[in-house]
Amino acid sequence: MKSTDRKFTSTERMLNALDALSKPQHIAEWQGEGNSKHIFRRTDPPLLDWLREAIVSNMGGSGGGRQARERTPMAVGAFTLYEDIDGRIRSWMMEAGGTPIKAITPTQIIRSWYALWQTSNPTDHRRDAYSGIMEGWADAIRDNLDPPKKIEITAPCPICGQEWINIGLKLLDGQDDPDDVERVRTLIAVERDNINESYAICKACDKVWKGVGQMRWLRIAIDDADATKATA
């Protein structure tokens, strides 16, 4: 895990995002307790390869595949995510003047794209824009294949004021389908191993609070709202 004591340059941030998607990740973590505590080391595949392998495994490998009713929601979500990322990366390659060969994987294409894109002398602003997209892909892959802990926050959103939202299918007139609707809380906290990658999100207004500082602000805003309500 890289230190967060300093801010990465735009180039470093982009390379970190690129490497997470397209290079094996060497992981070292403590396991056990007391005298038996030790460092366990492993090498994880690039996130794009991990996603692809999960799809192939769940869909039935290279054979006839599983019937649709046997596929898990995770497999369907992973496939959709992979297709979206693959299409976007191939589009980037064409915009940079390259040809994304159909037979090669997104893992290979994105590194070739980066080498070609670099020749355009991109600004830090453009680097940050692409980095944000790739970081979003990395988070989405991790969330799909190794879902983080999610906690409902029992308070209204301090931005939009909504506490509950209906989710489910919509009728042609835009109203909720009464046969397929679920009422859920708007605020959800997502816990990651790296606390700076943890975040809260409002499903009603899409506001995101990421990292320790912003989530602390959210906690204070909720407490202030409760205090105001109690004295009203």
Side-chain angles (χ1 to χ4, degrees):
M1 184 180 297
K2 293 182 173 60
S3 170
T4 55
D5 292 338
R6 70 176 180 85
K7 185 177 180 181
F8 291 115
T9 66
S10 295
T11 299
E12 290 173 330
R13 179 189 174 193
M14 190 166 191
L15 286 173
N16 288 339
L18 179 71
D19 287 350
L21 291 170
S22 61
K23 292 182 68 174
Q25 301 296 297
H26 302 291
I27 310 297
E29 57 187 12
W30 286 102
Q31 290 191 351
E33 297 181 358
N35 293 332
S36 64
K37 193 172 183 180
H38 63 282
I39 295 177
F40 175 75
R41 302 179 188 277
R42 72 175 192 273
T43 300
D44 290 343
L47 286 175
L48 285 171
D49 286 351
W50 186 22
L51 182 62
R52 184 172 183 272
E53 289 166 7
I55 295 168
V56 172
S57 174
N58 205 293
M59 293 293 186
S62 58
R66 300 182 183 180
Q67 294 183 0
R69 65 175 179 273
E70 297 177 328
R71 296 171 187 165
T72 65
M74 186 194 79
V76 175
F79 180 77
T80 301
L81 177 61
Y82 184 82
E83 288 289 288
D84 288 345
I85 295 174
D86 180 53
R88 190 73 173 274
I89 291 173
R90 291 176 187 278
S91 176
W92 286 359
M93 188 64 164
M94 289 188 289
E95 290 171 0
T99 301
I101 301 172
K102 187 175 181 179
I104 64 176
T105 67
T107 306
Q108 297 167 307
I109 295 174
I110 199 169
R111 297 206 71 86
S112 297
W113 161 78
Y114 178 73
L116 184 59
W117 182 75
Q118 278 280 85
T119 63
S120 66
N121 296 317
T123 62
D124 286 348
H125 178 74
R126 289 186 66 204
R127 289 183 185 279
D128 286 338
Y130 279 97
S131 296
I133 293 171
M134 290 191 288
E135 289 166 351
W137 288 344
D139 285 344
I141 293 171
R142 294 187 186 103
D143 287 355
N144 192 289
L145 301 181
D146 187 17
K149 182 179 180 181
K150 295 184 179 181
I151 304 170
E152 288 188 337
I153 300 176
T154 57
C157 171
I159 303 300
C160 69
Q162 296 295 313
E163 184 173 1
W164 298 90
I165 188 173
N166 293 338
I167 61 173
L169 297 177
K170 296 286 186 181
L171 300 174
L172 291 177
D173 61 2
Q175 298 298 311
D176 292 318
D177 184 345
D179 296 324
D180 186 61
V181 65
E182 181 182 1
R183 192 163 174 78
V184 300
R185 291 191 180 275
T186 58
L187 288 178
I188 296 291
V190 178
E191 293 186 358
R192 298 189 186 279
D193 291 338
N194 180 351
I195 192 171
N196 290 311
E197 294 298 319
S198 297
Y199 65 92
I201 185 171
C202 174
K203 295 181 179 179
C205 66
D206 294 327
K207 172 65 178 178
V208 176
W209 297 266
K210 186 173 183 179
V212 177
Q214 291 189 22
M215 293 186 72
R216 184 181 293 123
W217 180 94
L218 173 62
R219 180 72 266 173
I220 293 171
I222 291 174
D223 289 344
D224 287 349
D226 287 344
T228 300
K229 188 184 298 182
T231 57

